[in-house]
Amino acid sequence: MLYLVPTPIGNLEDMTFRAVNVLKEVDIILAEDTRTSAPLLKHFGIDKKVFAHHQHNEHKAVSEIIKFLKEGQHIALISDAGTPAISDPGFLLVRAAIKEGLEVQCLPGATAFVPALVNSGLPNDRFCFEGFLPVKKGRQTRLKALAEEKRTMIFYESPHRILKTIEEFITVFGAERQASISRELSKLYEENVRGTLTDLKLHFENNPIKGEFVFCVGGLE
């Protein structure tokens, strides 16, 4: 069995009992960054073999992991934070396991975009998740394709690009488009800023920019 196990995006109390039990019972844990995962595993008393599985080695590692699964080993995949394969490694391994007829289970648990969407105040009956936009090649093409999107759009962004992204969104979607930015979700300094794109630009021009950002933008009405 291949388990995809969500880990907290900040607050350790968001780890589920089932997630802890699965990580204690599997034979191998695959972690996006073993240094990041080590404190989490130690906190919950999980002592298992841990191997790195990240975007730089996942293509090479898939065949060996599939081999272990076929031998009857139970393997859990975790990312640095949140649900594996959501803007993190995991898709290639899941696809390969399914193709080989192996069992795959994804546990429910923490992920950043769901609370950001729900508390944004924007329509959430229909939405599209875009994750991280391309940094250079393909970025403008993607934005132009979203200009007429009617669903609420969800993006991930890093602190050093957030202001540039807001400015680009103003150009593409208009200064008065309603939006919400959430950062440091579930952590001590969680912040949710709502309003027009202009409001968000003014806020982050005058306040510290720290943490990881989830950017929700209302669709075209």
Side-chain angles (χ1 to χ4, degrees), residues 10 53 90 139 185 204:
H53 183 78
R139 187 178 181 91
L185 283 165
F204 287 105

Side-chain angles (χ1 to χ4, degrees), residues 162-163 166-167 169-170 174-181 191-207 215:
I162 192 67
L163 278 173
I166 295 173
E167 291 168 356
F169 284 4
I170 287 173
E176 298 304 307
R177 183 71 67 93
Q178 290 293 312
S180 173
I181 291 180
E191 181 181 32
N192 298 282
V193 185
R194 308 171 183 89
T196 66
L197 287 171
T198 298
D199 294 332
L200 271 53
K201 181 174 183 290
L202 289 171
H203 176 85
F204 287 105
E205 283 177 337
N206 294 283
N207 289 277
F215 200 157

Side-chain angles (χ1 to χ4, degrees), residues 9 17 37 45 54 64 72 79 97 109 118 126 130 132 135 157 175 177 191 193 204:
I9 59 175
F17 293 118
S37 300
H54 47 71
E64 187 172 5
S79 65
V118 172
R126 298 177 68 243
E130 292 294 323
F132 287 100
V135 176
E157 193 52 279
R177 183 71 67 93
E191 181 181 32
V193 185
F204 287 105

Side-chain angles (χ1 to χ4, degrees), residues 148-166:
E148 302 298 318
E149 177 61 62
K150 294 183 178 180
R151 297 170 293 180
T152 297
M153 297 163 277
I154 307 168
F155 305 88
Y156 285 165
E157 193 52 279
S158 62
H160 67 276
R161 282 199 299 265
I162 192 67
L163 278 173
K164 178 184 176 182
T165 297
I166 295 173

